[in-house]
C-alpha cells in the first residue's frame, strides 16, 4: 500500500495505491470517504492496482471552498495518467462521467453506480419530485442540524448506512461537506460526447429506487453501456461486496481483453 498525493496543484488529493497492474481509479461519493466506500473492493488488489483518492475535504485532501463536481473532475482526470479503468459511485459517478468526457483517450473502461445526475431523466414526475425535495433540503442547510440533514439526505437517496444520533468525528465532517456541496442534480452530463468515446461502459443500480433505475437506464441507453442491477444494499452498492466485485471485475477483464496488445 502506497499513500501519497497527486502532483497537480492547486487542490492536490491524497491517494492510496494498492496492488499490481492494470490500474483502476475509484471515485467515492458524498459523506463517506474512499477508505470506507471501497473497503470491500480491497480483495481486487490481488489482480489490479487500486487507485483510491480522497475527494477534497476527505482524509488528507485539502478542502475546496465548496465541493463541486466541475471543480473536482480535473483533479481526478489527472490521476488517469497514461490510462486507467475508471469507477465512480453516486456523487463520484457524476465526477467520473465528467472525467471520462474530459479525457476519453485515457479511459480504459468506465463503471458508474447510481450517479446523482438526476437532471438526465428530468420530465419524469418521480424524478422531478426527487429533485424538488433535494432543492428544498438545500434551500437553507445551515438551519438544519447536521445529523438531521444527513438522515434526511440518506433517506432520500436510499442509503443502507445508519445515521446515529451522535455523529462520530469522521461522519460529522462528512455531513459538513455534504451541506456545502453543490447538488449533483445540477450537473450537465454531455452524454452525446460520451457516446462517441470508444471505451466500454457499465452502469449499475441497486434495484431499490425507481428514480435511480430511470437515471441509470438513460445513461446506459444514451451512452451505449452495459446495464446491471445489484440489489441488497440500496444506494450503497459497493458495500454489497462480492456481487459488486464479481460484476465489476468481469467488466474490467473484458475491457482489458479488447485492448490492443
Amino acid at each position: 500500500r502506497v499513500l501519497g498525493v497527486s502532483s497537480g496543484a492547486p487542490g492536490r488529493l491524497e491517494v492510496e495505491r494498492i496492488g499490481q497492474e492494470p490500474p483502476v481509479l475509484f471515485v467515492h461519493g458524498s459523506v463517506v470517504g474512499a477508505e470506507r466506500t471501497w473497503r470491500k473492493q480491497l480483495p481486487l488488489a490481488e489482480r489490479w492496482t487500486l487507485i483510491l483518492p480522497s475527494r477534497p475535504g476527505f482524509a488528507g485532501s485539502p478542502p475546496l471552498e465548496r465541493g463541486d463536481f466541475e471543480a473536482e473532475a480535473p483533479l481526478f482526470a489527472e490521476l488517469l495518467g497514461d490510462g486507467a479503468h475508471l469507477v465512480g459511485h453516486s456523487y463520484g459517478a457524476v465526477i467520473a462521467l465528467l472525467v471520462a468526457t474530459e479525457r476519453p483517450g485515457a479511459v480504459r473502461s468506465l463503471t458508474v453506480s447510481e450517479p446523482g445526475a438526476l437532471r438526465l431523466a428530468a420530465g419524469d414526475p418521480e424524478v422531478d419530485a426527487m429533485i424538488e425535495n433535494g432543492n428544498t433540503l438545500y434551500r437553507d442547510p445551515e438551519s438544519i442540524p447536521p445529523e438531521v440533514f444527513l438522515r434526511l439526505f440518506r433517506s432520500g437517496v436510499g442509503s443502507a448506512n445508519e445515521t446515529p444520533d451522535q455523529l462520530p468525528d469522521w461522519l460529522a465532517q462528512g455531513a459538513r461537506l455534504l451541506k456545502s456541496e453543490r447538488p449533483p442534480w445540477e450537473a450537465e452530463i454531455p452524454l452525446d460526447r460520451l457516446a462517441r468515446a470508444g471505451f466500454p461502459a457499465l452502469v449499475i443500480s441497486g434495484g431499490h429506487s425507481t428514480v435511480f433505475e430511470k437515471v441509470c437506464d438513460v445513461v446506459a441507453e444514451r451512452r451505449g453501456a452495459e446495464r446491471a442491477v445489484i440489489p441488497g444494499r440500496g444506494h450503497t452498492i459497493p458495500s454489497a461486496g462480492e456481487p459488486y466485485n464479481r460484476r465489476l471485475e468481469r467488466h474490467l477483464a473484458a475491457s482489458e481483453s479488447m485492448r490492443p496488445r
Side-chain angles (χ1 to χ4, degrees):
R1 302 167 76 107
V2 179
L3 189 65
V5 294
S6 61
S7 58
R12 294 187 302 170
L13 303 178
E14 182 178 78
V15 183
E16 186 173 19
R17 299 173 189 267
I18 312 170
Q20 304 298 321
E21 294 285 348
V24 186
L25 173 61
F26 290 82
V27 190
H28 69 84
S30 304
V31 183
V32 177
E35 180 181 4
R36 288 180 170 84
T37 299
W38 306 116
R39 66 192 185 283
K40 293 197 175 179
Q41 280 62 65
L42 295 182
L44 296 175
E46 295 178 7
R47 294 169 295 279
W48 309 85
T49 294
L50 311 187
I51 305 172
L52 305 170
S54 295
R55 288 181 54 211
F58 290 87
S61 296
L64 299 175
E65 185 174 338
R66 181 192 192 196
D68 186 328
F69 43 84
E70 285 187 357
E72 295 180 46
L75 306 178
F76 288 90
E78 175 193 331
L79 293 175
L80 288 171
D82 295 332
H85 299 278
L86 179 59
V87 180
H89 172 63
S90 191
Y91 202 101
V94 176
I95 295 172
L97 289 167
L98 294 174
V99 168
T101 305
E102 184 174 326
R103 292 195 64 202
V107 177
R108 295 188 182 185
S109 74
L110 173 67
T111 302
V112 292
S113 52
E114 295 200 353
L118 305 182
R119 186 177 291 180
L120 290 173
D124 178 274
E126 289 182 297
V127 176
D128 291 346
M130 181 179 276
I131 292 173
E132 182 54 37
N133 289 339
N135 287 333
T136 299
L137 181 63
Y138 273 85
R139 197 157 288 141
D140 186 14
E142 293 310 312
S143 68
I144 306 173
E147 68 278 4
V148 176
F149 189 93
L150 179 56
R151 195 172 289 117
L152 290 170
F153 176 84
R154 283 178 160 177
S155 173
V157 300
S159 171
N161 292 321
E162 295 185 3
T163 303
D165 293 332
Q166 295 293 325
L167 303 183
D169 289 346
W170 65 268
L171 191 52
Q173 171 67 359
R176 284 191 293 270
L177 292 169
L178 175 69
K179 291 174 73 171
S180 65
E181 199 169 60
R182 183 180 178 187
W185 52 87
E186 294 182 1
E188 298 282 355
I189 306 296
L191 287 178
D192 292 340
R193 285 170 58 191
L194 272 177
R196 295 192 293 271
F199 51 77
L202 170 65
V203 180
I204 303 173
S205 60
H208 65 102
S209 162
T210 55
V211 169
F212 277 118
E213 294 300 318
K214 290 170 182 176
V215 172
C216 288
D217 286 345
V218 168
V219 175
E221 181 178 349
R222 290 183 55 192
R223 168 51 181 82
E226 291 186 68
R227 184 74 170 84
V229 179
I230 299 176
R233 290 291 294 169
H235 181 64
T236 321
I237 300 168
S239 68
E242 182 55 31
Y244 176 89
N245 293 352
R246 191 166 54 244
R247 186 64 187 88
L248 173 61
E249 190 160 30
R250 192 162 85 232
H251 175 64
L252 297 176
S255 302
E256 276 293 301
S257 70
M258 294 168 58
R259 298 181 68 236
R261 298 293 177 184

